[in-house]
Amino acid sequence: KLCEGILNILEKDTKTSCQVACLEALRILSRDKKVLVPVTTKRNMQILMRLAKLDTVEDPLERVSEFPVIVEALKCLCNIIFNSAVAQKLSLELNLAAMLCNLLEKCKDQEFVDDIKCFDLRLLFLLSLLHTDIRSQLRQELEGVQVLTRALESSLSVRWTEEYKAAADHDRPPLSLQETDCAIEALKALFNVTLDSWNVHSENESHQFRYMAAILRHCLLTTGPTEDKTEELHSNAINLLSNVPVSCLDVLISPSSQEETDIKYNGMNMGAIQILLDFMEKRIDKGSSYREGLTPVLSLLTECCRTHRNIRKFIKAQVLPPLRDVSNRPEVGTTVRNKLVRLMTHVDLGVKQIAAEFLFVLCKERVDSLLKYTGYGNAAGLLAARGLLAGGRGDHWYSDDEDTDTEEYKSAKPNINLITGHLEEPMPNPMDEMTEEQKEYEAMKLVNMFDKLSRDELIKPMGVRPDGTMAPLEEAVSQYHTNKQDSSDSD
């Protein structure tokens, strides 16, 4: 009854202060799903849309006194659409997404509209998240990628020096809280709209994604009002970069000029890549929520390294520098390599796979190079999954520049334990002082233990096929015998 009463008042022309008070009350009430039934009708949704200036296509946003009403009406719509499936269907029928895009265009070059813009973007994010038809409509009919990219560019106040290169203003103050929130909402909405964008079919699409990637590079080099807000901004930028076709990610690096003070490598500006590496290490150090917080940035870095040689070489120089000290196991220590090797045996399968894949790509998918940095024990899971237990290399082609081993590594190499990946002192052989009878007794004891475990199906003896994949031991042995007979010379 209270909701109906409030909406009846809002339908009439009342004072701005009364409208704001009514909308604030409705916003609080709309958090409760049980009271939303009377609100989610076509008439009542249209009332809120009118107050949010979504029903007027031509009228510009001129009366600043009305801005608080627009903001509160958008907040109410956010709550209602988030909590009601009926409202989500009605928003498609009422063409709400198109009206929100129109309001966003009206906000362009306007003052005092940051709050309107922020909640407009939040509503677009919710619609594209909760309704796949609206996501398709935004992408195909409403040019949603272009509209949202312009909103993001405006929030970050990007100034261009050349195509796909934004001006780097090191003296610029951090973004304000409002600017940061607007940018975050635009990034989240763009993420939904650009899902499944890996295949770029036209030159225009390629330009659009390169343009977006250039803005995201600028976003990574920008700081927010607090450390937490900066991390949230960068996290959403990384999520969106994961949707950008990998061929368009070359704009993350650019030829560096003499005046630039950013990190350089091979004549290229690597500032954005360094931010990604620092972000990855910070997320590893957090020690929790790896699947949500760490896998997006690891996946992005893996694809960048696989496709772009300069990025791979820069990252490898930092993550896998030439080995000098091999006295400790690869997983022991505080370097980025140590932290990533520890993740290779993580309990979460997804985290374990992407960490191993990242290191494997840095090693140009060469098994011998990976084992050098990680040890066989840590790499066994990846090698088994890729069918590379017998050695070799992956499917992708990489440049032929060779790794150079340090003198320290070369001298220690003969004594490195291939399983653990570190230098071990020679251990005394416990069988040296045994008689032949004792050796035979211990061997039979071990065979019987394995036999019992196998019969009880606690373990299943496995072997490596000639092609490097795993198979039950009997099958692997028979394949080796077959291959041996086939390859033997016959008289």
Side-chain angles (χ1 to χ4, degrees):
K1 284 182 180 178
L2 180 54
C3 284
E4 284 284 18
I6 289 171
L7 285 158
N8 286 335
I9 294 169
L10 289 170
E11 194 174 20
K12 301 165 187 170
D13 287 327
T14 54
K15 289 191 297 182
T16 300
S17 58
C18 177
Q19 287 179 331
V20 171
C22 286
L23 287 166
E24 284 175 345
L26 186 62
R27 168 167 55 84
I28 294 165
L29 288 165
S30 63
R31 295 172 188 163
D32 186 349
K33 294 182 182 182
K34 294 173 186 173
V35 304
L36 284 177
V37 176
V39 181
T40 51
T41 65
K42 194 169 183 178
R43 165 189 165 267
N44 290 338
M45 289 279 284
Q46 284 173 325
I47 292 170
L48 292 171
M49 287 166 66
R50 177 177 57 79
L51 291 167
K53 297 293 181 189
L54 292 171
D55 62 337
T56 52
V57 177
E58 302 300 332
D59 294 351
L61 297 173
E62 289 178 341
R63 295 174 62 184
V64 178
S65 60
E66 291 180 342
F67 289 1
V69 175
I70 298 171
V71 171
E72 285 302 324
L74 287 169
K75 287 179 181 178
C76 288
L77 285 168
C78 283
N79 283 356
I80 291 164
I81 285 168
F82 181 70
N83 286 315
S84 169
V86 175
Q88 290 160 27
K89 289 178 183 174
L90 274 172
S91 56
L92 187 62
E93 187 182 328
L94 294 167
N95 206 17
L96 181 56
M99 294 179 182
L100 287 165
C101 288
N102 183 55
L103 180 61
L104 208 53
E105 288 295 299
K106 287 185 196 176
C107 290
K108 196 164 58 178
D109 303 324
Q110 279 276 95
E111 292 184 1
F112 315 115
V113 293
D114 280 347
D115 280 341
I116 296 174
K117 199 163 130 185
C118 186
F119 287 103
D120 185 310
L121 289 165
R122 184 170 297 177
L123 200 43
L124 279 169
F125 160 68
L126 287 171
L127 287 170
S128 58
L129 174 72
L130 298 167
H131 211 300
T132 52
D133 289 344
I134 292 178
R135 190 186 305 164
S136 300
Q137 183 192 15
L138 275 166
R139 187 166 54 230
Q140 293 162 13
E141 297 172 27
L142 302 174
E143 297 185 337
V145 174
Q146 290 92 321
V147 171
L148 291 166
T149 303
R150 282 197 296 271
L152 176 62
E153 182 184 354
S154 169
S155 301
L156 297 169
S157 303
V158 180
R159 291 184 299 106
W160 300 100
T161 55
E162 54 188 88
E163 190 179 34
Y164 309 135
K165 188 173 181 182
D169 187 356
H170 297 286
D171 300 323
R172 189 188 161 190
L175 295 176
S176 68
L177 185 61
Q178 278 185 322
E179 287 172 330
T180 309
D181 283 339
C182 272
I184 288 169
E185 294 301 333
L187 289 167
K188 285 155 61 177
L190 270 169
F191 176 82
N192 290 340
V193 176
T194 57
L195 277 171
D196 309 318
S197 297
W198 280 96
N199 294 321
V200 171
H201 299 296
S202 69
E203 193 175 321
N204 187 46
E205 279 181 318
S206 177
H207 164 72
Q208 187 61 47
F209 279 112
R210 282 176 181 278
Y211 181 63
M212 187 194 299
I215 295 171
L216 292 173
R217 177 184 182 277
H218 179 78
C219 185
L220 289 172
L221 297 169
T222 302
T223 55
T226 65
E227 193 175 332
D228 285 346
K229 273 291 173 188
T230 301
E231 187 173 342
E232 187 183 353
L233 178 69
H234 290 174
S235 177
N236 281 290
I238 288 164
N239 290 342
L240 180 53
L241 275 169
S242 300
N243 285 354
V244 174
V246 72
S247 60
C248 301
L249 292 176
D250 57 338
V251 299
L252 289 177
I253 60 174
S254 59
S256 59
S257 61
Q258 293 298 319
E259 299 79 31
E260 287 180 336
T261 57
D262 287 319
I263 296 155
K264 300 175 187 177
Y265 179 83
N266 210 15
M268 306 298 283
N269 187 327
M270 293 286 177
I273 304 300
Q274 186 62 55
I275 296 285
L276 292 175
L277 279 172
D278 294 341
F279 183 91
M280 176 195 73
E281 189 170 6
K282 193 183 292 185
R283 284 292 168 94
I284 294 175
D285 292 341
K286 272 193 173 180
S288 61
S289 303
Y290 281 152
R291 184 172 279 273
E292 298 81 18
L294 178 63
T295 53
V297 65
L298 264 179
S299 179
L300 174 64
L301 286 170
T302 302
E303 290 306 319
C304 284
C305 291
R306 185 174 275 137
T307 312
H308 303 291
R309 179 172 178 261
N310 274 321
I311 295 176
R312 174 175 54 78
K313 293 186 75 174
F314 171 73
I315 292 176
K316 186 177 181 183
Q318 298 201 54
V319 176
L320 298 178
L323 280 176
R324 297 184 187 281
D325 181 13
V326 286
S327 57
N328 291 322
R329 288 171 176 255
E331 66 270 23
V332 176
T334 57
T335 66
V336 185
R337 173 178 79 109
N338 302 142
K339 293 170 184 177
L340 286 164
V341 172
R342 283 198 288 274
L343 289 179
M344 292 175 79
T345 53
H346 195 271
V347 291
D348 187 308
L349 186 63
V351 174
K352 178 167 72 172
Q353 285 175 339
I354 191 61
E357 186 75 15
F358 176 51
L359 291 173
F360 193 43
V361 169
L362 287 183
C363 295
K364 296 189 285 190
E365 300 194 20
R366 293 207 324 247
V367 172
D368 56 343
S369 181
L370 179 70
L371 297 182
K372 181 174 83 173
Y373 288 104
T374 68
Y376 197 90
N378 292 312
L382 171 81
L383 300 181
R386 298 283 292 266
L388 293 169
L389 284 167
R393 61 187 305 163
D395 300 328
H396 289 83
W397 181 89
Y398 294 86
S399 57
D400 293 331
D401 50 309
E402 291 299 323
D403 298 323
T404 53
D405 291 334
T406 62
E407 291 302 321
E408 296 93 329
Y409 177 76
K410 285 178 182 176
S411 61
K413 190 174 180 179
N415 298 317
I416 292 175
N417 184 323
L418 294 177
I419 302 299
T420 61
H422 82 299
L423 190 64
E424 288 184 351
E425 292 297 323
M427 299 287 288
N429 189 343
M431 296 179 73
D432 283 345
E433 297 179 5
M434 286 186 184
T435 64
E436 290 302 318
E437 290 78 8
Q438 285 174 316
K439 290 178 185 177
E440 190 173 341
Y441 172 77
E442 291 295 336
M444 289 308 299
K445 186 177 170 184
L446 189 62
V447 167
N448 290 332
M449 287 166 64
F450 273 114
D451 185 55
K452 186 176 188 310
L453 288 169
S454 181
R455 287 178 187 279
D456 294 343
E457 295 188 351
L458 294 171
I459 64 168
K460 187 173 186 179
M462 303 289 282
V464 182
R465 293 192 186 104
D467 64 0
T469 57
M470 297 284 285
L473 190 60
E474 301 86 353
E475 184 186 327
V477 170
S478 67
Q479 282 200 11
Y480 266 110
H481 283 313
T482 305
N483 279 11
K484 197 172 179 183
Q485 288 168 4
D486 291 344
S487 61
S488 62
D489 295 328
S490 56
D491 294 330

